[in-house]
Amino acid sequence: MFSKNGSRDLGLEYLHGNWSIFDPAIRRGLQMIRDVAQVMQPGFFLKERDDAVFYFVQERALMIAASSQDSGTLLENIPFEVGVGHIPIPEPEHPVYGQEFTGNPSEAESTGFHLGIVRYCRKPEVAVDFLRFLTSQPIHQRFVEMSGWLPAVVGVRPKKGTEPFAPFTEGMAPTYGFNLSGLNDLYNLRRLYLDYFHLLAEEDGSVDAFCAAFGHEAEEAIIQLRLVINA
């Protein structure tokens, strides 16, 4: 529906009337966020990542969203038994949210980060040799054992205890919608989302209250941004 590369196109599409915060699909997404927010710690939106870890370690939170990079701390340094599971998402058959989902997305798209050589490297042959060394099975196996990260080299075994973090390699190709909290190019919209999120997440809030506040200012916020871009 929208370009993956440009938030500005998203703003223009809004001004052209091609999407709105009141669209049923967007409202269902907001309702899902509200449903999740109701089981979160009070004031969670203002917490940092370390705060979440402290809550979990102190047994003040039932679960925490984490990755294999956190497994060393969370699995080895806490005094109680824990388990690992994937974050559930609605199935296509879900009566409310299913129409926005096509099934579990595949996580085989890429590894956590990429390796490369800069164009102005003075000795690229040495750099390539070093990267081959880093990505060889023996060295990568050592890295996996020390870091607790999942392996990215064929034939390297995951560290014991991190197997549940293994990615899904089957499923639907990932699709990209838009995230109102992550529109850095459309910083005015992002500001509105952050300013009014409490209307969505608080116990006495609602999707209607959030949409009314956000929608009232969204068009003016985008117009102001276009004026800045065109100036």
Side-chain angles (χ1 to χ4, degrees), residues 61-121:
L62 178 64
M63 60 184 292
I64 184 173
S67 69
S68 63
Q69 294 148 296
D70 301 304
S71 62
T73 299
L74 296 178
L75 297 179
E76 298 174 7
N77 298 318
I78 52 180
F80 50 87
E81 184 178 354
V82 297
V84 179
H86 288 270
I87 298 176
I89 64 172
E91 297 289 339
E93 297 78 18
H94 192 281
V96 178
Y97 304 123
Q99 54 194 307
E100 267 70 66
F101 290 87
T102 55
N104 281 320
S106 171
E107 297 175 326
E109 183 181 24
S110 67
T111 57
F113 60 89
H114 305 279
L115 302 176
I117 303 172
V118 296
R119 182 181 303 175
Y120 48 82
C121 177

Side-chain angles (χ1 to χ4, degrees), residues 11-23:
L12 288 175
E13 292 292 329
Y14 185 94
L15 295 179
H16 291 158
N18 292 331
W19 73 276
S20 165
I21 196 69
F22 300 100
D23 288 344

Side-chain angles (χ1 to χ4, degrees), residues 34 199-202 204-211:
R34 173 165 173 76
L199 297 177
L200 180 66
E202 289 179 346
D204 58 350
S206 68
V207 173
D208 288 336
F210 173 84
C211 289

